[in-house]
Amino acid sequence: MSLDIRQIPVLNDNYVYLVREEESGAVAVVDPAVAEPVLAEAERLGWRITHILNTHHHGDHVGGNLDIQRATGCTIVGPRADRARIPGIQVAVGDGDAYDFGAATARVFDVPGHTSGHIAYWFEEDDALFCGDTLFALGCGRLFEGTPAQMWASLSKLRALPDAVRVYCAHEYTQANARFALSLGEENPDLAARAREIDAARARGEPTVPSLLGAEKRTNPFLRADDGGLAAAVGLAAAPPVQVFAEVRRRKDSF
Ligand code: ZN
Ligand code: FE
């Protein structure tokens, strides 16, 4: 693998990632909520920031863009559909694009739902997915600018990636997500076991992110709207997956 990925916890529950491509020495910051802790960590590591990769326009993902750009002269890459809402954007990318970052390549997916222009970056060779606020460990983002059908389609795209993909999402929401997932009453021993592991990790003060996409496929209710067991558990046996997804999302909004 050619990427060295470091996780920086900032604000209440955000994760910013520093990603170094080892062959070229290129260093990307994914979704800098803030600048100072990111610049400090790069300095401590002796890494020179060359890129910012943004997934969407929310302040807790782009708040550090301009200060980091001023300090480093880095290139800001972000969603084409959201050009006007990404501070300092220089390179706009969208669905199907392959963005070369040093010797690595990020494949870009449009994943609307949380916001209309949300994108995800998949480093196929390194099994790393940076998905912002679209897919969380055991959860998904709120639908601020999209419909359940859009979000279900977006999550289905991500679900099609290999089980070994590590899901680098932007928030530590996992423990609350686990409580919600259990509340749905689905018969799912994998979920019960995972919830116990999550509680243990949090009790030790450890992050639960990244998670493995394979585990998300088995346990994340938002990836399981086409599972008959989950549909029955929420009283929608034989309903279309989009309807099941919408019901699960609706329940989470008021959980
Ligand atoms: Zn967001
Ligand atoms: Fe966020």
Side-chain angles (χ1 to χ4, degrees), residues 158-190:
L158 301 182
R159 188 178 68 167
L161 302 179
D163 285 2
V165 165
R166 285 162 296 146
V167 178
Y168 290 91
C169 60
H171 291 275
E172 178 64 60
Y173 288 158
T174 319
Q175 201 166 26
N177 287 343
R179 276 195 293 276
F180 170 72
L182 289 169
S183 79
L184 298 172
E186 182 195 7
E187 186 68 50
N188 187 335
D190 288 337

Side-chain angles (χ1 to χ4, degrees), residues 27-134:
V27 175
V29 186
V30 181
D31 281 354
V34 289
E36 197 280 325
V38 176
L39 292 168
E41 181 65 3
E43 170 86 24
R44 194 186 68 78
L45 292 163
W47 291 4
R48 199 175 66 80
I49 294 168
T50 55
H51 295 77
I52 289 172
L53 305 179
N54 289 131
T55 62
H56 67 295
H57 72 87
H58 284 158
D60 64 319
H61 298 254
V62 304
N65 273 24
L66 295 179
D67 284 342
I68 292 173
Q69 189 179 48
R70 257 192 295 276
T72 65
C74 69
T75 299
I76 300 181
V77 183
R80 183 173 298 133
D82 249 342
R83 263 206 109 99
R85 300 194 286 182
I86 305 287
I89 188 169
Q90 291 153 303
V91 179
V93 294
D95 207 48
D97 285 350
Y99 182 74
D100 287 332
F101 162 66
T105 299
R107 294 180 54 180
V108 179
F109 299 103
D110 283 344
V111 285
H114 177 66
T115 66
S116 57
H118 203 301
I119 60 174
Y121 300 90
W122 177 37
F123 290 90
E124 182 173 10
E125 309 268 282
D126 288 79
D127 282 326
L129 175 70
F130 296 93
C131 50
D133 290 353
T134 294

Side-chain angles (χ1 to χ4, degrees), residues 180 234 236 242-252:
F180 170 72
V234 299
L236 290 171
V242 173
Q243 199 183 329
V244 175
F245 177 83
E247 172 62 13
V248 173
R249 187 60 252 178
R250 190 190 64 76
R251 290 188 186 194
K252 178 68 168 68

